[in-house]
Amino acid sequence: MIEFHLDARSGVAPYLQLVHQVRRALRLGLLFEGDRLPTVKEVAAKVAINPNTVLKAYRELEHEGLVAKKPGVGTFVSGTLGDASLSEHEPLRRELARWLERARSAGLDEESIEALFLATFLAPSGPSSVEEGQGPSTEEER
């Protein structure tokens, strides 16, 4: 069963944090169709938020077709976001864990690691001209 957590410093609304966590768990194959989500009361008590916030998250997930309410029984996963690439997740996760270890060993703090990752992730795809050896060739261009 999924365990929710909230980051008050993230700037993301609590209900959206819950939605993102369910979506992430579905994408990573941690939740499957038929799995029961924690009750609204359980989530509200665990993360110390208003039950209406949890209800809003569950309604959003229901609207997306990812969960369905069964009155008197609970809320269950009814859709999935996982795909055939799930088999590749574990080797990639291990490789990323090694990269994170190297980054920390190089002295990068969490904020620097996140900035480097996001800059790389959001960069246009394909090798850059510098990587291809076509970087600036004169002192003025550098």
Side-chain angles (χ1 to χ4, degrees):
M1 183 181 292
I2 189 170
E3 285 202 28
F4 293 107
H5 59 278
L6 295 179
D7 180 359
R9 298 170 294 153
S10 74
V12 176
Y15 89 95
L16 278 178
Q17 289 185 51
L18 300 178
V19 169
H20 293 162
Q21 288 172 49
V22 170
R23 291 177 59 80
R24 187 177 310 117
L26 288 167
R27 190 166 305 285
L28 294 174
L30 303 173
L31 279 176
F32 300 95
E33 286 188 49
D35 286 351
R36 182 173 120 1
L37 294 182
T39 66
V40 169
K41 188 176 181 177
E42 290 169 341
V43 177
K46 169 89 169 94
V47 297
I49 58 174
N50 188 308
N52 287 329
T53 303
V54 182
L55 282 169
K56 184 174 181 178
Y58 282 13
R59 276 194 305 270
E60 176 74 21
L61 291 163
E62 190 173 18
H63 177 73
E64 293 178 14
L66 297 174
V67 302
K69 285 190 268 183
K70 294 183 181 178
V73 182
T75 302
F76 293 83
V77 174
S78 61
T80 185
L81 295 173
D83 56 26
S85 71
L86 279 176
S87 63
E88 291 297 319
H89 284 204
E90 187 55 28
L92 290 170
R93 189 199 62 75
R94 285 193 305 267
E95 188 177 330
L96 181 57
R98 285 191 297 271
W99 180 86
L100 287 169
E101 189 175 312
R102 287 195 324 269
R104 288 183 182 110
S105 295
L108 276 71
D109 62 9
E110 297 295 318
E111 213 172 295
S112 297
I113 290 170
E114 182 180 5
L116 179 58
F117 177 82
L118 285 174
T120 304
F121 181 73
L122 298 174
S125 46
S128 73
S129 60
V130 173
E131 289 173 1
E132 293 174 340
Q134 298 174 3
S137 57
T138 67
E139 195 61 38
E140 288 178 346
E141 291 175 316
R142 287 187 200 134

